[in-house]
Amino acid sequence: KAGVTQTPRYLIKTRGQQVTLSCSPISGHRSVSWYQQTPGQGLQFLFEYFSETQRNKGNFPGRFSGRQFSNSRSEMNVSTLELGDSALYLCASSPTVLGNYGYTFGSGTRLTVV
Amino acid sequence: GEDVEQSLFLSVREGDSSVINCTYTDSSSTYLYWYKQEPGAGLQLLTYIFSNMDMKQDQRLTVLLNKKDKHLSLRIADTQTGDSAIYFCAEKPQGTGANNLFFGTGTRLTVIP
């Protein structure tokens, strides 16, 4: 059974550009969440999607957006990149909307903004 | 948001037991998780416990929950060099309508051969 797949693994972008990250959840999982991991702030919640609907959003500026497709795949977009957006972006999936039994995380996309 | 705290570092000798501690602040029922992160990798779910339980054991892993003190611990028996990683405690409060996890800062476990 394939795990959570995130592409690309690494990205280098310039300040002011925009970027799109992709996440394919485990087959059958309909809940997808995104987290940002930085050395200074640790792991912070970005958004949560279930059945193409954003159910919850973390405390990030509007430059951060996301969506989920009918096949449960999800994308997140960051516009007008800033140096502080450099981070490991992690996607997690769960078979249920509650996710009580834990989320399965992907290996992440490491974004570097120069 | 919820406040989840962990000590930053722990060193143990190979073969000894490791105990990683975590405190949380949510007062309602909650799910609590332990995740492991190896260098360059994502988070691997190790185990979880619901706040109406006191203990959960899974092979070398034992989770203890003191709900009164809001204290969670992860004990790794017979620690091996492959256990060297960062361990995150996470909380998911119930009844809030939100399903996101609140993570601690992570404890870097170093196993000395």
Side-chain angles (χ1 to χ4, degrees), chain B:
Chain B
E2 307 305 327
D3 194 14
V4 181
E5 295 189 354
Q6 300 178 239
S7 52
L8 292 180
F9 303 99
L10 176 67
S11 290
V12 299
R13 293 212 171 270
E14 189 174 17
D16 288 349
S17 291
S18 308
V19 179
I20 303 170
N21 295 302
C22 167
T23 57
Y24 62 98
T25 58
D26 181 66
S27 59
S28 66
S29 62
T30 188
Y31 276 87
L32 296 149
Y33 307 86
W34 284 104
Y35 281 89
K36 175 183 180 183
Q37 187 176 37
E38 297 182 80
L43 301 177
Q44 175 193 353
L45 176 65
L46 293 176
T47 187
Y48 66 91
I49 190 169
F50 187 55
S51 54
N52 67 353
M53 298 168 67
D54 298 323
M55 186 184 90
K56 183 177 182 182
Q57 186 158 3
D58 184 1
Q59 299 183 343
R60 292 191 299 124
L61 305 179
T62 303
V63 178
L64 294 177
L65 175 61
N66 181 328
K67 191 175 179 180
K68 174 176 168 290
D69 294 337
K70 297 187 177 62
H71 180 267
L72 182 74
S73 68
L74 174 69
R75 178 177 179 270
I76 306 173
D78 187 26
T79 313
Q80 303 297 306
T81 54
D83 294 324
S84 291
I86 301 176
Y87 291 80
F88 290 93
C89 168
E91 176 188 16
K92 189 164 82 72
Q94 300 299 290
T96 64
N99 293 318
N100 55 290
L101 301 173
F102 294 92
F103 284 90
T105 53
T107 299
R108 183 179 296 275
L109 173 65
T110 301
V111 182
I112 304 164

Side-chain angles (χ1 to χ4, degrees), chain A residues 13 38 71 99:
Chain A
K13 290 286 188 178
T38 60
N71 62 358

Side-chain angles (χ1 to χ4, degrees), chain A residues 2-72:
Chain A
V4 177
T5 304
Q6 291 189 245
T7 56
R9 286 297 309 275
Y10 302 93
L11 264 179
I12 300 176
K13 290 286 188 178
T14 305
R15 269 184 304 175
Q17 287 186 313
Q18 76 162 9
V19 67
T20 299
L21 312 182
S22 179
C23 171
S24 293
I26 290 174
S27 178
H29 285 198
R30 294 164 62 193
S31 172
V32 174
S33 300
W34 289 87
Y35 289 81
Q36 181 197 63
Q37 185 178 24
T38 60
Q41 299 297 316
L43 282 150
Q44 293 187 290
F45 169 72
L46 281 157
F47 353 83
E48 175 206 354
Y49 290 89
F50 185 82
S51 293
E52 301 178 68
T53 301
Q54 186 180 94
R55 297 190 71 253
N56 195 13
K57 189 177 192 301
N59 189 24
F60 279 81
R63 301 184 296 105
F64 291 81
S65 62
R67 58 179 176 169
Q68 186 180 34
F69 302 95
S70 59
N71 62 358
S72 295

